Amino acid sequence: MTVTSPEFLAGLEADAAAAGITGFVAAAVINRDGQVLLVRRNPGDYMGGLWEIPSGRVEAGESILDALHRETTEETGLAIDQVTGYLGHFDYPNSRGGTTRQFNFAVTVEKAEPIVLTEHDAHQWAHPDNLPGVSDAVRTLITF
């Protein structure tokens, strides 16, 4: 079963629902020449100043993969070419008092430049051995 199959994705959602998860986020790990694309949350936002991988909420009626494609384009201006793997998930408290599960996918993009930010104040390509202020969960995810 591939990571893009409806059965695989339904299993991810079912496992999260069974764990009482109230929100889903899809995230893209974009690697270019051994470096990962990171974006920084705006200072006034929830968890402001934190560096993260491009990610965003799965909206009602939207699949995890649809959200992955939409959010990557919205946040970076980049278009996903291919989803190459599922890297796992992590859970975190959200701004609404519930728990969000972030599903993380390795992806390739059609082209890695230019990056156009709409929801973040900075971006950088970072080597996994030299990361800026990311969460422990993101650090674990991308230091392979």
Side-chain angles (χ1 to χ4, degrees):
M1 184 175 347
T2 68
V3 300
T4 58
S5 74
E7 298 81 13
F8 179 81
L9 298 168
L12 293 179
E13 291 183 16
D15 290 347
I21 303 301
T22 57
F24 299 163
V25 163
V29 175
I30 304 167
N31 189 311
R32 179 186 76 177
D33 300 326
Q35 297 183 320
V36 175
L37 178 62
L38 298 173
V39 291
R40 188 174 63 195
R41 296 179 73 86
N42 287 315
D45 287 352
Y46 180 67
M47 298 188 294
L50 185 70
W51 288 90
E52 61 187 359
I53 55 177
S55 59
R57 188 175 331 162
V58 178
E59 302 291 346
E62 185 177 44
S63 76
I64 294 171
L65 286 184
D66 288 343
L68 178 68
H69 285 265
R70 177 183 53 76
E71 287 288 348
T72 300
T73 300
E74 283 179 6
E75 291 192 355
T76 67
L78 303 179
I80 292 175
D81 180 47
Q82 187 175 15
V83 177
T84 59
Y86 177 65
L87 303 174
H89 70 269
F90 56 82
D91 300 339
Y92 61 91
N94 62 40
S95 61
R96 299 168 303 285
T99 300
T100 294
R101 177 160 291 176
Q102 180 168 310
F103 301 103
N104 303 289
F105 295 87
V107 304
T108 59
V109 291
E110 292 175 3
K111 55 185 181 172
E113 301 288 343
I115 294 171
V116 179
L117 300 177
T118 58
E119 300 175 20
H120 297 84
D121 70 349
H123 78 277
Q124 70 172 283
W125 291 97
H127 190 277
D129 291 339
N130 188 25
L131 297 173
V134 298
S135 68
D136 289 342
V138 168
R139 183 174 307 280
T140 300
L141 178 71
I142 61 180
T143 52
F144 36 86

